[in-house]
Amino acid sequence: MEVKVYKSTLTLVEGDITNEETDAIVNAANTRLAGGAGVDGAIHRAGGPSIMEECRKIGGCPTGQAVITTGGNLKAKYVIHTVGPVYQGGNKGEAQLLQSAHLESLKLASARNLKSIAFPAISTGVYGYPVNEAAQIALKTAIDYLREHSDIELVRFVLFGRKTYDIFADELKKLMP
Ligand code: ADP
């Protein structure tokens, strides 16, 4: 699915984010930038050890913030590592932190003059965020950003599996009828 947001494009695809050729891909990292399961493990496996070396030098990243490394062996030139919240029922500031994780990633891409960025469904795996709620926050944050910042030409959400893709597509239809 693809929509135009002012001068930019927002797309949803089903797939594996490690294959993306966008300027940056976003990693759903943890605060220690220690690597782990899910998309984080997949990115480090595909990108090779240089990404982890850079992460070690950076040291860590608070929840809702973002840091950047090069892309190692990936096709993407950079990896933006952001930390989404662990879902604890929804009343612990999770929505604001998830919005911030997306916003800080987009700001970092703009600051580096990047034109395209791909996001996974941050926090919806091990961190337990309900996919429909996470999709609404992720998409709204990207849409609002692109309305104000046309320097980023493409935001792509790369969803792992049909189910997650379908939920994102439903939420995008609600936001961009
Ligand atoms: P978190 O800890 O933020 O919940 P996870 O990696 O556990 O992060 O899950 C986030 C989302 O990333 C989930 O929807 C999961 O299915 C998805 N995912 C896992 N591997 C990949 C991949 N290679 N490409 C894109 N998305 C992936």
Side-chain angles (χ1 to χ4, degrees):
M1 184 174 176
E2 174 169 322
V3 297
K4 202 87 190 154
V5 183
Y6 188 42
K7 290 181 183 165
S8 307
T9 303
L10 188 153
T11 65
L12 308 182
V13 297
E14 184 187 341
D16 176 347
I17 200 165
T18 62
N19 295 323
E20 282 299 316
E21 295 180 22
T22 43
D23 291 338
I25 64 171
V26 177
N27 182 17
N30 51 56
T31 55
R32 291 178 301 124
L33 300 178
V39 71
D40 196 351
I43 287 172
H44 284 290
R45 271 195 304 279
S50 67
I51 299 175
M52 185 53 76
E53 268 167 47
E54 290 180 59
C55 284
R56 258 187 230 114
K57 282 182 195 144
I58 296 166
C61 178
T63 305
Q65 297 298 307
V67 300
I68 190 165
T69 66
T70 58
N73 302 331
L74 295 166
K75 291 173 201 150
K77 293 191 233 15
Y78 297 94
V79 178
I80 292 174
H81 306 261
T82 191
V83 184
V86 176
Y87 191 76
Q88 299 175 77
N91 293 317
K92 295 266 161 65
E94 294 96 328
Q96 191 271 327
L97 288 167
L98 189 61
Q99 179 195 28
S100 174
H102 289 84
L103 186 57
E104 294 304 320
S105 299
L106 290 162
K107 283 187 191 166
L108 203 43
S110 285
R112 293 295 181 105
N113 249 321
L114 308 185
K115 301 295 172 204
S116 56
I117 179 170
F119 284 91
I122 296 166
S123 284
T124 67
V126 174
Y127 283 5
Y129 218 113
V131 179
N132 60 333
E133 289 177 40
Q136 191 194 355
I137 292 165
L139 292 167
K140 186 170 187 315
T141 306
I143 290 165
D144 288 349
Y145 191 85
L146 292 178
R147 286 192 172 129
E148 303 279 328
H149 305 85
S150 38
D151 57 303
I152 296 188
E153 294 164 6
L154 172 68
V155 175
R156 173 173 290 154
F157 286 86
V158 182
L159 293 328
F160 206 56
R162 188 74 206 177
K163 214 167 142 191
T164 305
Y165 175 87
D166 285 343
I167 295 170
F168 268 72
D170 281 348
E171 294 299 330
L172 184 55
K173 281 175 208 148
K174 286 186 210 161
L175 289 167
M176 303 283 283

